[in-house]
Amino acid sequence: MSPSNPELSQPPLRVVVATSNLGKVVEFEEALSGLGWQLEPLGDYSLPEETGSTYAENAMIKAAAASLHTGLPALADDSGLEVAALGGEPGLYSARFGNRKDDHERNLYLLERTRNVQDRRAKFISVLVLAYPDGHIEEYRGEVDGQLLEGPRGVGGFGYDPLFGLPDGRSMAQLSLEEKRAVGHRGKAFDALKKAHAHGLPPRPTGSKVN
Ligand SMILES: O=c1[nH]cnc2c1ncn2[C@@H]1O[C@H](COP(=O)(O)OP(=O)(O)O)[C@@H](O)[C@H]1O
Ligand SMILES: [Mg+2]
C-alpha cells in the first residue's frame, strides 16, 4: 500500500444501515462485504413512517432520516412484491398486506387472494437510497421476474421468498444468500451501487454527484 495514494489512506466510510428488517440487514452485510465500508447498526432509532408514493420516495424518507439522526451517510431499501393478477398488489404495501401481522400470515393471505388464479406472474422490486448528511442522494433499482407458487417452498430468505418461483423451478427461499444476491432484486440494486462505488471511493466532497 502506497501512503501517497490518498484513497488508501482514508479511513473506511461509515454507513448506517437504515432498516430494522433483519432479513434485509443480513443481505446488506453480505452484499456490501468487499466494499471496505464500516456498516453501522440503526440502534434504537425508529425510522419514520413510509408516507411516499413510490419505492424511491419511501427509501429516501428512511435513509434521509437516519442520516440526519446520525450525521453519517445512511443506506435504506424500500421494496415490494407486485403480482400481475392483483393489478400490482401488494406493491408499496407489501409489508402490511391485508393488515396481516407477520410474513407467514401475509403469505397465507397472498395464497388466498390468488387461489385459482391462472396468471401467476410476479415481480420483486428494490430501490436502495444512500443519503448523505449534506442532503446528497444516490438511488439504485433492481427487479426480478418470477411466478407465484401454489404453496411455500424452502426455509431461507424472508418475507414472500417461499412463494416466489424462479425460472429454474426453485423458490427464492431455496437459494443461498449468495445465490439470492446474484439473481434477486436487492442484489441487482446492490450491483449498481457497488459499480458506482468501485475503486474504494472515499466520502464524496460536498456538492458533487457520484452517479
Ligand atoms: O427479498 C425479499 N424477499 C421476500 N419478501 C420481500 C423481499 N423484499 C421485500 N419483501 C417484502 O416486502 C416488504 C417490504 O417492506 P418494506 O421495504 O416496505 O419495509 P420493511 O423494511 O419495514 O420490511 C417486506 O416486509 C417483505 O414482506
Ligand atoms: Mg415499503
Side-chain angles (χ1 to χ4, degrees):
M1 263 194 213
S2 156
S4 61
N5 183 333
E7 279 189 5
L8 294 178
S9 60
Q10 289 275 348
L13 179 60
R14 294 171 67 203
V15 175
V16 175
V17 176
T19 178
S20 45
N21 180 323
L22 288 181
K24 289 187 189 177
V25 172
V26 170
E27 292 187 15
F28 275 44
E29 287 173 350
E30 197 269 345
L32 293 176
S33 67
L35 256 189
W37 290 359
Q38 186 176 321
L39 299 183
E40 306 283 348
L42 195 52
D44 287 341
Y45 177 66
S46 298
L47 291 167
E49 268 194 53
E50 296 180 2
T51 51
S53 53
T54 61
Y55 299 108
E57 278 176 24
N58 282 340
M60 196 175 74
I61 288 169
K62 295 188 273 191
S67 178
L68 216 60
H69 177 72
T70 58
L72 293 171
L75 183 62
D77 158 284
D78 194 46
S79 42
L81 173 74
E82 299 190 353
V83 177
L86 298 179
E89 273 195 88
L92 272 191
Y93 306 103
S94 295
R96 42 198 147 128
F97 191 33
N99 275 323
R100 299 306 196 264
K101 67 178 190 314
D102 58 26
D103 285 345
H104 177 70
E105 296 289 323
R106 283 187 283 275
N107 281 338
L108 287 178
Y109 180 64
L110 178 59
L111 285 176
E112 217 173 276
R113 290 280 310 271
T114 53
R115 195 179 303 143
N116 302 322
V117 167
Q118 296 296 312
D119 176 3
R120 311 291 299 177
R121 285 172 304 146
K123 95 178 24 191
F124 269 135
I125 293 160
S126 160
V127 175
L128 291 173
V129 166
L130 181 57
Y132 295 78
D134 66 2
H136 177 82
I137 294 287
E138 294 168 25
E139 187 185 308
Y140 306 96
R141 186 184 171 94
E143 295 189 14
V144 57
D145 290 312
Q147 298 280 329
L148 215 51
L149 300 173
E150 308 276 352
R153 247 184 250 165
V155 294
F158 67 95
Y160 301 100
D161 281 343
L163 293 182
F164 193 86
L166 295 159
D168 71 0
R170 289 188 294 175
S171 83
M172 198 75 110
Q174 291 176 305
L175 306 186
S176 68
L177 205 50
E178 294 78 14
E179 287 172 323
K180 182 175 173 186
R181 172 171 40 85
V183 302
H185 48 314
R186 196 164 301 102
K188 289 178 182 167
F190 272 121
D191 282 347
L193 179 153
K194 285 164 93 169
K195 203 168 152 204
H197 285 266
H199 318 302
L201 197 75
R204 182 194 46 82
T206 304
S208 70
K209 267 205 136 210
V210 168
N211 60 343

